[in-house]
Amino acid sequence: MAGLATTLCGVSLRNPIVAAAGTAGYGPEIAEVVPASTFGAIVTKSITPESRDGNPPWRVVDLPAGMFNAIGLANVGLDRFMAGILPELGTLDTVVIGSIAGHTLEDYVAVAAGFGDPAAEAIRLIEVNVSCPNTATGRLFGDDPGLLADVVAAVVERTGGKPVLVKLSPGSAGVPDLAEIAVRSGAAGVTLANTMPAMAIDPETRRSRIGRAAGGLSGPAVHPIAVRLVHETRRRFEDAGLAASIVGLGGVLSWRDAAEFTLVGADAIGIGTGLFVDPRLPRRILRGLEGWVRRQRVAGLTDLQGGFQA
Ligand SMILES: Cc1cc2nc3c(=O)[nH]c(=O)nc-3n(C[C@H](O)[C@H](O)[C@H](O)COP(=O)(O)O)c2cc1C
């Protein structure tokens, strides 16, 4: 696709579309449905040091406002990921971003050390998930400026020089402040954002519609929220003289949604819920972006980055 190449945290991507963490399996699963080369990058499911079963059912429910999930970081754990999944990731014709989660600083550091190991050369970038609404401690490190600074600095030290993205929650107060702290602590960029903490109740049973009282909302309802977060964070980075990357993520279902993220200054555009709606969506969005670049009479998408006229 002409004119769509971009750079994320210093890594060249053939196009800006990033398969969001946890919505493309570990990576190889989505490649069974859509060629990996369709994506600029694919983010793995978040990996913790030990395996996790996740929350009881239901874990994913459709709501009129979007998709509601409480997966709870179900994953095979670092050792099985490294031995069983990493080799397959190395065969994918795209940039692989490894996602880290944990309950303690030591958890984050352990997975960062695994992803930073020379054996993990398939992983080019690292995303730190400090914003999961579906576990008791999922947002602990993302909401507290001091803990955030500590975890980012500790992770950055262990990744063998691989750039680090920090994924924040749209439910946190002062997202631009948190993003600035992440970058000043060594992150190369931020992903905005994770799912929105939310609730949905069945009036007949009086119980939550998923296996936890609260869960995470994704899809169209969160898109305008994420656009605002990217806008405010890009402005903050500019004011602070920080050259950091931003992945705009939340509710992208059309090229217009993706273009909004570009206009407010995103370097790349994540798609999560959209992949469940239609796995062919990335290709359609890329075609739409190509047409937009042509109509705007610029050489490439990056010429439109930050082009929002307030
Ligand atoms: C089923 C499901 C699983 C997810 N798993 C993860 C995960 O493991 N790690 C993570 O950082 N985000 C996870 N997310 C959040 C997505 O990566 C993304 O931030 C969110 O869904 C918003 O984007 P969207 O509206 O395009 O889906 C998950 C989302 C869904 C719907």
Side-chain angles (χ1 to χ4, degrees), residues 147-206:
L147 291 177
L148 178 66
D150 289 348
V151 78
V152 173
V155 162
V156 165
E157 224 176 85
R158 305 302 203 290
T159 60
K162 291 177 189 177
V164 171
L165 281 160
V166 175
K167 184 169 181 180
L168 297 172
S169 171
S172 297
V175 166
D177 298 337
L178 295 165
E180 184 177 346
I181 287 166
V183 171
R184 291 199 187 278
S185 304
V190 290
T191 300
L192 303 173
N194 211 315
T195 50
M196 185 73 185
M199 288 178 74
I201 300 165
D202 179 339
E204 301 293 351
T205 63
R206 294 186 278 152

Side-chain angles (χ1 to χ4, degrees), residues 184-291:
R184 291 199 187 278
S185 304
V190 290
T191 300
L192 303 173
N194 211 315
T195 50
M196 185 73 185
M199 288 178 74
I201 300 165
D202 179 339
E204 301 293 351
T205 63
R206 294 186 278 152
R207 292 181 184 279
S208 172
R209 296 194 52 190
I210 44 167
R212 237 177 148 255
L217 183 67
S218 60
V222 304
H223 178 66
I225 298 168
V227 171
R228 184 189 129 245
L229 292 176
V230 172
H231 172 60
E232 292 184 349
T233 302
R234 175 55 74 202
R235 279 215 311 224
R236 170 64 63 86
F237 286 169
E238 282 167 4
D239 291 348
L242 298 170
S245 292
I246 302 179
V247 180
L249 169 61
V252 171
L253 288 174
S254 72
W255 73 263
R256 284 186 178 78
D257 300 329
E260 285 181 88
F261 276 137
T262 300
L263 286 171
V264 290
D267 301 86
I269 299 143
I271 303 186
T273 301
L275 293 177
F276 292 103
V277 175
D278 179 2
R280 289 162 306 181
L281 190 64
R283 191 153 287 281
R284 263 212 316 277
I285 289 176
L286 289 167
R287 271 202 301 271
L289 289 175
E290 255 187 341

Side-chain angles (χ1 to χ4, degrees), residues 20-23 44-46 60 67 69 71 73 99 127 129 131 167 193-195 217-220 222 249-252 270-274 276:
T23 65
T44 67
K45 201 188 270 262
S46 292
V60 181
M67 197 168 164
N69 94 81
I71 304 279
L73 299 176
S99 170
E127 185 174 82
N129 176 4
S131 45
K167 184 169 181 180
N194 211 315
T195 50
L217 183 67
S218 60
V222 304
L249 169 61
V252 171
I271 303 186
T273 301
F276 292 103

Side-chain angles (χ1 to χ4, degrees), residues 5-7 234 238 244-246 259 261-268 292 298 300-308:
T6 187
T7 306
R234 175 55 74 202
E238 282 167 4
S245 292
I246 302 179
F261 276 137
T262 300
L263 286 171
V264 290
D267 301 86
W292 181 50
V298 293
L301 191 69
T302 51
D303 295 312
L304 293 164
Q305 197 179 330
F308 166 62

